[in-house]
Amino acid sequence: SRICVITLAEAHPLLQSGKTIKNINYQISANCSRLQNKVSGKSKRGAQFLTELAPLCRISSSDGEEYTIYSCIRGRLIEVNENILSNPALLQEKPSTEGYIAVVLPKFEESKSITQGLLTQKEYEEVLLKRRSSAP
């Protein structure tokens, strides 16, 4: 269906080492808030267009660290998950379901090349294993 649900990767620092999420901010700059994204109709009019490097939100943890979460996919921002604003723990407790960050719809003609570049779960786990074994 081409829809891409943006979540935190299981290896993300926010999901490790017992960090507590203090704040999630969809206000990207003075003039840009992902919360102002208003989508209507079948053609998704009004959706903000994102590049791979477009920030979706910033997440602050209780230890003072701030993480910018990027789209990583070119496409239209269909929705942001406002539920995590009032319940940030969803990001950590249910990162791949109710704790999603946003939904992005890539252009039809780009969707095949995007999905071909993704890792399978097995490939991702192998990358994590390599990363852990090379860490000091």
Side-chain angles (χ1 to χ4, degrees):
S1 67
R2 290 192 302 148
I3 284 189
C4 297
V5 179
I6 311 296
T7 64
L8 288 179
E10 59 189 62
H12 194 282
L14 280 166
L15 300 182
Q16 310 300 312
S17 68
K19 286 187 181 255
T20 305
I21 295 173
K22 187 173 77 177
N23 180 31
I24 299 161
N25 190 353
Y26 283 111
Q27 185 78 37
I28 300 308
S29 67
N31 301 325
C32 180
S33 171
R34 300 297 180 212
L35 292 172
Q36 292 170 340
N37 189 57
K38 299 291 177 237
V39 180
S40 65
K42 206 164 73 174
S43 62
K44 308 301 178 212
R45 274 189 310 280
Q48 295 174 10
F49 186 78
L50 304 171
T51 65
E52 300 89 338
L53 300 175
L56 286 171
C57 65
R58 291 190 177 83
I59 303 173
S60 304
S61 64
S62 54
D63 63 3
E65 290 287 328
E66 184 177 87
Y67 302 90
T68 300
I69 308 301
Y70 296 92
S71 169
C72 300
I73 292 180
R74 283 170 48 88
R76 293 180 173 277
L77 180 62
I78 302 303
E79 73 175 68
V80 294
N81 184 2
E82 294 185 36
N83 294 333
I84 61 175
L85 294 174
S86 58
N87 188 1
L90 283 173
L91 271 174
Q92 293 165 311
E93 294 165 5
K94 300 180 179 180
S96 57
T97 56
E98 295 169 52
Y100 72 96
I101 294 167
V103 177
V104 177
L105 182 66
K107 287 184 174 178
F108 181 76
E109 57 274 13
E110 292 178 9
S111 61
K112 194 165 186 69
S113 65
I114 289 170
T115 53
Q116 286 173 340
L118 297 176
L119 298 175
T120 65
Q121 182 69 27
K122 189 175 187 317
E123 290 169 332
Y124 174 69
E125 288 165 2
E126 288 169 4
V127 167
L128 292 181
L129 277 172
K130 285 180 192 164
R131 191 182 293 168
R132 287 186 193 117
S133 64
S134 66

mmCIF file of all heavy atoms in Angstrom, residues 3-26:
data_model
loop_
_atom_site.group_PDB
_atom_site.id
_atom_site.type_symbol
_atom_site.label_atom_id
_atom_site.label_comp_id
_atom_site.label_asym_id
_atom_site.label_seq_id
_atom_site.Cartn_x
_atom_site.Cartn_y
_atom_site.Cartn_z
ATOM 1 N N ILE A 3 2.414 2.898 2.102
ATOM 2 C CA ILE A 3 2.486 3.731 3.305
ATOM 3 C C ILE A 3 3.682 3.312 4.147
ATOM 4 O O ILE A 3 3.924 2.129 4.347
ATOM 5 C CB ILE A 3 1.177 3.631 4.105
ATOM 6 C CG1 ILE A 3 0.134 4.468 3.400
ATOM 7 C CG2 ILE A 3 1.366 4.051 5.532
ATOM 8 C CD1 ILE A 3 -1.139 4.638 4.164
ATOM 9 N N CYS A 4 4.438 4.290 4.621
ATOM 10 C CA CYS A 4 5.600 4.028 5.478
ATOM 11 C C CYS A 4 5.320 4.589 6.866
ATOM 12 O O CYS A 4 5.022 5.778 7.014
ATOM 13 C CB CYS A 4 6.846 4.700 4.898
ATOM 14 S SG CYS A 4 7.296 4.063 3.284
ATOM 15 N N VAL A 5 5.400 3.738 7.855
ATOM 16 C CA VAL A 5 5.199 4.160 9.235
ATOM 17 C C VAL A 5 6.580 4.360 9.856
ATOM 18 O O VAL A 5 7.395 3.447 9.875
ATOM 19 C CB VAL A 5 4.395 3.097 10.026
ATOM 20 C CG1 VAL A 5 4.218 3.538 11.471
ATOM 21 C CG2 VAL A 5 3.050 2.845 9.370
ATOM 22 N N ILE A 6 6.839 5.564 10.316
ATOM 23 C CA ILE A 6 8.136 5.910 10.883
ATOM 24 C C ILE A 6 8.104 5.622 12.385
ATOM 25 O O ILE A 6 7.248 6.142 13.105
ATOM 26 C CB ILE A 6 8.484 7.398 10.647
ATOM 27 C CG1 ILE A 6 8.275 7.805 9.189
ATOM 28 C CG2 ILE A 6 9.903 7.702 11.130
ATOM 29 C CD1 ILE A 6 9.139 7.128 8.174
ATOM 30 N N THR A 7 9.051 4.787 12.828
ATOM 31 C CA THR A 7 9.143 4.428 14.241
ATOM 32 C C THR A 7 10.610 4.544 14.676
ATOM 33 O O THR A 7 11.492 4.721 13.838
ATOM 34 C CB THR A 7 8.679 2.976 14.477
ATOM 35 O OG1 THR A 7 9.562 2.096 13.789
ATOM 36 C CG2 THR A 7 7.259 2.755 13.992
ATOM 37 N N LEU A 8 10.848 4.403 15.953
ATOM 38 C CA LEU A 8 12.229 4.337 16.438
ATOM 39 C C LEU A 8 12.745 2.926 16.203
ATOM 40 O O LEU A 8 12.043 1.949 16.476
ATOM 41 C CB LEU A 8 12.299 4.644 17.933
ATOM 42 C CG LEU A 8 12.071 6.083 18.368
ATOM 43 C CD1 LEU A 8 12.154 6.189 19.882
ATOM 44 C CD2 LEU A 8 13.059 7.027 17.710
ATOM 45 N N ALA A 9 13.979 2.825 15.724
ATOM 46 C CA ALA A 9 14.610 1.518 15.550
ATOM 47 C C ALA A 9 14.873 0.923 16.925
ATOM 48 O O ALA A 9 15.145 1.656 17.885
ATOM 49 C CB ALA A 9 15.927 1.660 14.782
ATOM 50 N N GLU A 10 14.810 -0.388 17.017
ATOM 51 C CA GLU A 10 15.001 -1.016 18.333
ATOM 52 C C GLU A 10 16.381 -0.741 18.917
ATOM 53 O O GLU A 10 16.582 -0.836 20.124
ATOM 54 C CB GLU A 10 14.708 -2.512 18.284
ATOM 55 C CG GLU A 10 15.566 -3.282 17.312
ATOM 56 C CD GLU A 10 15.086 -4.723 17.138
ATOM 57 O OE1 GLU A 10 13.965 -4.922 16.689
ATOM 58 O OE2 GLU A 10 15.873 -5.628 17.460
ATOM 59 N N ALA A 11 17.339 -0.362 18.077
ATOM 60 C CA ALA A 11 18.682 -0.051 18.577
ATOM 61 C C ALA A 11 18.854 1.441 18.903
ATOM 62 O O ALA A 11 19.931 1.863 19.300
ATOM 63 C CB ALA A 11 19.724 -0.458 17.533
ATOM 64 N N HIS A 12 17.807 2.242 18.733
ATOM 65 C CA HIS A 12 17.918 3.677 19.011
ATOM 66 C C HIS A 12 18.263 3.895 20.486
ATOM 67 O O HIS A 12 17.742 3.196 21.360
ATOM 68 C CB HIS A 12 16.602 4.387 18.670
ATOM 69 C CG HIS A 12 16.745 5.864 18.620
ATOM 70 N ND1 HIS A 12 16.801 6.638 19.766
ATOM 71 C CD2 HIS A 12 16.888 6.720 17.585
ATOM 72 C CE1 HIS A 12 16.953 7.907 19.423
ATOM 73 N NE2 HIS A 12 17.013 7.976 18.106
ATOM 74 N N PRO A 13 19.148 4.857 20.772
ATOM 75 C CA PRO A 13 19.555 5.110 22.166
ATOM 76 C C PRO A 13 18.379 5.354 23.117
ATOM 77 O O PRO A 13 18.462 5.014 24.288
ATOM 78 C CB PRO A 13 20.430 6.366 22.060
ATOM 79 C CG PRO A 13 20.910 6.388 20.655
ATOM 80 C CD PRO A 13 19.869 5.708 19.826
ATOM 81 N N LEU A 14 17.282 5.924 22.616
ATOM 82 C CA LEU A 14 16.126 6.169 23.484
ATOM 83 C C LEU A 14 15.473 4.881 23.964
ATOM 84 O O LEU A 14 14.757 4.879 24.952
ATOM 85 C CB LEU A 14 15.083 7.023 22.757
ATOM 86 C CG LEU A 14 15.367 8.518 22.719
ATOM 87 C CD1 LEU A 14 14.469 9.202 21.712
ATOM 88 C CD2 LEU A 14 15.207 9.131 24.099
ATOM 89 N N LEU A 15 15.706 3.789 23.238
ATOM 90 C CA LEU A 15 15.111 2.508 23.626
ATOM 91 C C LEU A 15 16.096 1.650 24.408
ATOM 92 O O LEU A 15 15.797 0.518 24.758
ATOM 93 C CB LEU A 15 14.613 1.754 22.383
ATOM 94 C CG LEU A 15 13.554 2.478 21.558
ATOM 95 C CD1 LEU A 15 13.112 1.620 20.394
ATOM 96 C CD2 LEU A 15 12.363 2.880 22.415
ATOM 97 N N GLN A 16 17.272 2.202 24.682
ATOM 98 C CA GLN A 16 18.305 1.488 25.426
ATOM 99 C C GLN A 16 18.508 2.135 26.795
ATOM 100 O O GLN A 16 18.041 3.223 27.042
ATOM 101 C CB GLN A 16 19.645 1.534 24.661
ATOM 102 C CG GLN A 16 19.573 1.130 23.210
ATOM 103 C CD GLN A 16 19.079 -0.286 23.006
ATOM 104 O OE1 GLN A 16 19.554 -1.199 23.657
ATOM 105 N NE2 GLN A 16 18.129 -0.470 22.121
ATOM 106 N N SER A 17 19.212 1.467 27.618
ATOM 107 C CA SER A 17 19.773 1.985 28.884
ATOM 108 C C SER A 17 18.798 2.749 29.774
ATOM 109 O O SER A 17 19.195 3.694 30.443
ATOM 110 C CB SER A 17 20.997 2.865 28.585
ATOM 111 O OG SER A 17 20.618 4.054 27.915
ATOM 112 N N GLY A 18 17.534 2.397 29.763
ATOM 113 C CA GLY A 18 16.573 2.971 30.705
ATOM 114 C C GLY A 18 16.400 4.471 30.648
ATOM 115 O O GLY A 18 16.178 5.102 31.669
ATOM 116 N N LYS A 19 16.516 5.077 29.469
ATOM 117 C CA LYS A 19 16.290 6.518 29.350
ATOM 118 C C LYS A 19 14.800 6.818 29.514
ATOM 119 O O LYS A 19 13.954 5.991 29.197
ATOM 120 C CB LYS A 19 16.746 7.023 27.983
ATOM 121 C CG LYS A 19 18.254 7.088 27.847
ATOM 122 C CD LYS A 19 18.622 7.769 26.536
ATOM 123 C CE LYS A 19 20.115 7.824 26.380
ATOM 124 N NZ LYS A 19 20.644 9.150 26.624
ATOM 125 N N THR A 20 14.502 8.006 29.995
ATOM 126 C CA THR A 20 13.121 8.452 30.117
ATOM 127 C C THR A 20 12.906 9.618 29.157
ATOM 128 O O THR A 20 13.696 10.551 29.132
ATOM 129 C CB THR A 20 12.828 8.924 31.557
ATOM 130 O OG1 THR A 20 13.167 7.866 32.449
ATOM 131 C CG2 THR A 20 11.368 9.290 31.732
ATOM 132 N N ILE A 21 11.837 9.546 28.373
ATOM 133 C CA ILE A 21 11.533 10.622 27.435
ATOM 134 C C ILE A 21 10.814 11.740 28.186
ATOM 135 O O ILE A 21 9.822 11.514 28.863
ATOM 136 C CB ILE A 21 10.672 10.108 26.266
ATOM 137 C CG1 ILE A 21 11.481 9.100 25.458
ATOM 138 C CG2 ILE A 21 10.218 11.271 25.386
ATOM 139 C CD1 ILE A 21 10.708 8.389 24.375
ATOM 140 N N LYS A 22 11.369 12.943 28.053
ATOM 141 C CA LYS A 22 10.821 14.093 28.757
ATOM 142 C C LYS A 22 9.845 14.860 27.869
ATOM 143 O O LYS A 22 8.806 15.305 28.325
ATOM 144 C CB LYS A 22 11.981 15.007 29.192
ATOM 145 C CG LYS A 22 11.581 16.160 30.078
ATOM 146 C CD LYS A 22 12.791 16.908 30.589
ATOM 147 C CE LYS A 22 13.345 17.784 29.488
ATOM 148 N NZ LYS A 22 14.465 18.615 29.869
ATOM 149 N N ASN A 23 10.197 14.980 26.578
ATOM 150 C CA ASN A 23 9.430 15.865 25.710
ATOM 151 C C ASN A 23 9.567 15.437 24.250
ATOM 152 O O ASN A 23 10.636 15.004 23.823
ATOM 153 C CB ASN A 23 9.972 17.290 25.898
ATOM 154 C CG ASN A 23 9.265 18.306 25.042
ATOM 155 O OD1 ASN A 23 8.089 18.164 24.737
ATOM 156 N ND2 ASN A 23 9.979 19.331 24.635
ATOM 157 N N ILE A 24 8.482 15.584 23.492
ATOM 158 C CA ILE A 24 8.502 15.367 22.045
ATOM 159 C C ILE A 24 8.004 16.655 21.413
ATOM 160 O O ILE A 24 6.962 17.184 21.819
ATOM 161 C CB ILE A 24 7.592 14.195 21.646
ATOM 162 C CG1 ILE A 24 8.088 12.917 22.310
ATOM 163 C CG2 ILE A 24 7.559 14.037 20.123
ATOM 164 C CD1 ILE A 24 7.078 11.822 22.387
ATOM 165 N N ASN A 25 8.758 17.166 20.443
ATOM 166 C CA ASN A 25 8.415 18.448 19.844
ATOM 167 C C ASN A 25 8.350 18.316 18.329
ATOM 168 O O ASN A 25 9.358 18.010 17.691
ATOM 169 C CB ASN A 25 9.454 19.499 20.255
ATOM 170 C CG ASN A 25 9.025 20.897 19.878
ATOM 171 O OD1 ASN A 25 8.019 21.106 19.202
ATOM 172 N ND2 ASN A 25 9.804 21.870 20.318
ATOM 173 N N TYR A 26 7.166 18.539 17.767
ATOM 174 C CA TYR A 26 6.997 18.511 16.314
ATOM 175 C C TYR A 26 7.250 19.880 15.684
ATOM 176 O O TYR A 26 7.100 20.049 14.489
ATOM 177 C CB TYR A 26 5.579 18.036 15.950
ATOM 178 C CG TYR A 26 5.360 16.541 16.073
ATOM 179 C CD1 TYR A 26 4.543 16.014 17.062
ATOM 180 C CD2 TYR A 26 5.950 15.654 15.183
ATOM 181 C CE1 TYR A 26 4.320 14.642 17.155
ATOM 182 C CE2 TYR A 26 5.743 14.292 15.264
ATOM 183 C CZ TYR A 26 4.926 13.798 16.253
ATOM 184 O OH TYR A 26 4.718 12.442 16.338
#
